[in-house]
Structure formats: structure tokens, C-alpha cells
């Protein structure tokens, strides 16, 4: 089996669960750190010729992260493409199991069971907080409706302000974000790399939680420790 992954979180999941099958991955596939696979470009602009040159039996993709014209080009070239859809935590577990089975995994990896157990053990929040959750600036973009990251936050007791917006990742002016007066601003380090010096200054007077984008937005082995690490980061914002 020869697999090319166009989704960083799926790359990690396959690499640690079915060693040796990944022959190609995107430039953004940073985990595992010792990944030995040819790089084929970005998630939004993979080199189709580079993917085809690897003669994959399967390309794994995601309906949100990858563009349909690229996936159509691969199919037209005779490559099987498995497209995932992940909008919440339970769906992430179902899709991970499907991807790993398609890549030849013999049974469920231990980390997947541990991740499900970790999320099942998350207690019902004793109180809920509101949040604005930017994913980009210049222009400012935030989590909107029907997103995996939004569901992750909701399960931890955090309701983001734009959860019912008509768009999944709406562009919202910074003045409007501040006027929403959330209990906390959640600033991940990807896709935009918010840091202590780049992001919080735009929200004067509001608590800001700097969180790992991998734990907020990735569906893979990081799900095992995501509940604990995200909860710790959210609590730290109020200290």
C-alpha cells in the first residue's frame, strides 16, 4: 500500500498507526517529527504531478482543507481519493477509523481508543463561558458555524460567539469582535500563528487564551491530550 496524505492531522494518524505506507505528505505535515515522506506542496496547492509521480494506491484528503479541482484531477488520473468530513469530535473518531482501515491498519490503534476515552471522560461543564476564536488576522477571521474546533470548545464549556453565523469562517472586523465582549479570546498558533506578542494586543481588556492549534483543530493522536491541555490553557487565561 502506497498512501499520500494531503491533511496534516491524518498524516500523523496514519504514520503512527500504519508505519511505512505513507510515501507523500504536504509541506504542512509536521508530525510525527521524523516523518520520512516526499513533500508534495501545500494543502491548497499540492503538486498534482508530484503526487502522481509517487504512484499512490490511495490519496487521503478532507473536504475543508483540500480543493475539489485538485482532487478531481487526481481521480481523472486514475488515483483513488478518500475524502473525509470532520465537523465534530464523534465524527472525527469515525473518520479516523475509516481512514486507518483504508490504509491497511490491522485493528484499532491504542491511541484511538485512548482518545475516545479521554473525550468521554470530559465532565459536564459546571458553567459555560463565551469566546471569540480567531483563526486569522489581516483580515480577521473567526470560527463560525459547524466546525470541528467549535465543537471541541463547546465540549469544554466554551461557546464561541459566532457559532450560528451563516459562514463557517466569517470575516469579522476587529471592532465588532471586541464589541462582542466575550469572556475569553481563544488564540491558536495555527493556521495563523498567534503569540503573546501577536494577537492579544488587539483585544485590550479581554482575557486571551493562547492554545495549541494542533490540539484545537487536528483530529489524530493529539486528541488524546487535547482535553487536558486546552482546559489548562483556557483556565490560565483567567488567572
Amino acid at each position: 500500500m502506497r498512501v499520500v496524505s494531503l491533511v496534516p492531522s491524518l498524516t500523523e494518524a496514519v504514520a503512527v498507526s500504519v508505519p511505512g505506507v505513507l510515501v507523500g505528505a504536504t509541506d504542512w505535515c509536521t508530525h510525527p517529527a521524523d516523518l520520512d515522506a516526499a513533500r508534495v506542496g501545500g494543502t491548497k496547492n499540492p503538486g498534482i504531478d508530484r503526487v502522481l509521480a509517487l504512484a499512490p494506491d490511495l490519496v487521503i484528503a478532507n473536504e475543508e482543507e483540500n480543493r475539489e479541482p485538485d482532487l478531481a484531477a487526481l481521480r481523472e488520473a486514475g488515483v483513488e481519493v478518500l475524502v473525509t468530513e470532520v465537523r465534530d469530535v464523534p465524527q472525527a473518531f469515525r473518520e479516523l477509523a475509516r481512514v486507518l482501515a483504508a490504509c491497511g491498519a490491522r485493528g484499532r490503534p491504542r491511541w484511538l481508543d485512548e482518545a475516545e476515552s479521554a473525550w468521554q471522560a470530559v465532565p459536564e461543564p459546571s458553567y459555560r463561558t463565551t469566546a471569540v476564536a480567531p483563526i486569522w488576522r489581516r483580515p480577521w477571521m473567526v470560527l463560525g458555524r459547524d466546525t470541528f474546533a467549535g465543537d471541541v470548545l463547546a465540549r469544554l464549556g466554551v461557546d464561541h460567539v459566532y457559532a450560528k453565523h451563516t459562514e463557517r469562517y466569517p470575516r469579522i472586523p476587529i471592532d465588532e469582535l471586541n464589541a462582542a465582549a466575550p469572556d475569553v479570546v481563544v488564540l491558536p498558533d495555527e493556521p495563523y500563528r498567534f503569540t503573546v506578542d501577536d494577537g492579544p494586543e488587539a483585544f485590550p481588556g479581554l482575557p486571551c487564551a493562547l492554545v495549541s492549534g494542533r490540539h484545537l483543530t487536528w483530529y489524530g493522536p493529539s486528541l488524546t491530550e487535547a482535553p487536558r491541555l486546552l482546559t489548562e490553557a483556557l483556565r490560565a487565561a483567567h488567572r
Side-chain angles (χ1 to χ4, degrees), residues 82-104:
L82 187 161
V83 182
T84 58
E85 178 183 294
V86 178
R87 304 291 180 90
D88 57 37
V89 173
Q91 190 176 33
F93 291 127
R94 293 194 298 271
E95 289 288 64
L96 283 164
R98 184 167 74 101
V99 166
L100 296 178
C103 292

Side-chain angles (χ1 to χ4, degrees), residues 30 37 74 100 111 140 143 155 173 187 198 206 231:
T30 57
L74 291 170
L100 296 178
W111 67 260
W140 286 95
L143 295 182
R155 290 170 187 273
L187 297 172
D198 185 356
L206 293 177
T231 296

Side-chain angles (χ1 to χ4, degrees), residues 128-145:
R128 304 196 68 82
T129 59
T130 60
V132 163
I135 58 161
W136 202 259
R137 68 182 301 177
R138 305 183 190 95
W140 286 95
M141 298 175 67
V142 301
L143 295 182
R145 65 169 180 84

Side-chain angles (χ1 to χ4, degrees), residues 3-231:
V3 177
V4 171
S5 172
L6 301 181
V7 186
S9 54
L10 295 180
T11 295
E12 181 181 18
V14 172
V16 302
S17 306
V18 198
V21 304
L22 273 177
V23 296
T26 75
D27 298 342
W28 299 105
C29 294
T30 57
H31 288 73
D34 60 351
L35 179 66
D36 182 18
R39 302 297 172 156
V40 299
T43 58
K44 303 296 185 186
N45 58 345
I48 301 302
D49 290 343
R50 291 157 71 181
V51 174
L52 296 177
L54 295 171
D57 300 301
L58 178 69
V59 171
I60 51 179
N62 175 263
E63 50 91 26
E64 177 178 86
E65 294 200 48
N66 308 117
R67 301 185 316 122
E68 178 55 34
D70 294 324
L71 306 183
L74 291 170
R75 293 190 189 96
E76 290 171 4
V79 177
E80 181 180 356
V81 180
L82 187 161
V83 182
T84 58
E85 178 183 294
V86 178
R87 304 291 180 90
D88 57 37
V89 173
Q91 190 176 33
F93 291 127
R94 293 194 298 271
E95 289 288 64
L96 283 164
R98 184 167 74 101
V99 166
L100 296 178
C103 292
R106 297 179 179 179
R108 287 169 61 89
R110 178 179 295 179
W111 67 260
L112 189 54
D113 288 332
E114 291 175 347
E116 284 206 74
S117 295
W119 280 96
Q120 289 170 356
V122 172
E124 185 68 26
S126 57
Y127 64 93
R128 304 196 68 82
T129 59
T130 60
V132 163
I135 58 161
W136 202 259
R137 68 182 301 177
R138 305 183 190 95
W140 286 95
M141 298 175 67
V142 301
L143 295 182
R145 65 169 180 84
D146 197 23
T147 66
F148 171 74
D151 186 61
V152 165
L153 291 174
R155 290 170 187 273
L156 299 178
V158 180
D159 301 314
H160 67 93
V161 173
Y162 297 96
K164 297 186 182 300
H165 197 281
T166 56
E167 298 178 22
R168 297 186 66 212
Y169 299 100
R171 298 184 180 189
I172 308 293
I174 189 63
D175 291 346
E176 185 175 330
L177 296 181
N178 276 290
D183 297 319
V184 65
V185 179
V186 179
L187 297 172
D189 60 10
E190 62 174 87
Y192 185 91
R193 188 173 180 80
F194 290 106
T195 68
V196 66
D197 298 316
D198 185 356
E201 82 289 343
F203 300 93
L206 293 177
C208 291
L210 293 166
V211 304
S212 161
R214 177 168 167 262
H215 292 105
L216 179 63
T217 66
W218 286 34
Y219 29 90
S222 57
L223 283 169
T224 303
E225 56 187 6
R228 175 178 59 83
L229 294 180
L230 290 172
T231 296

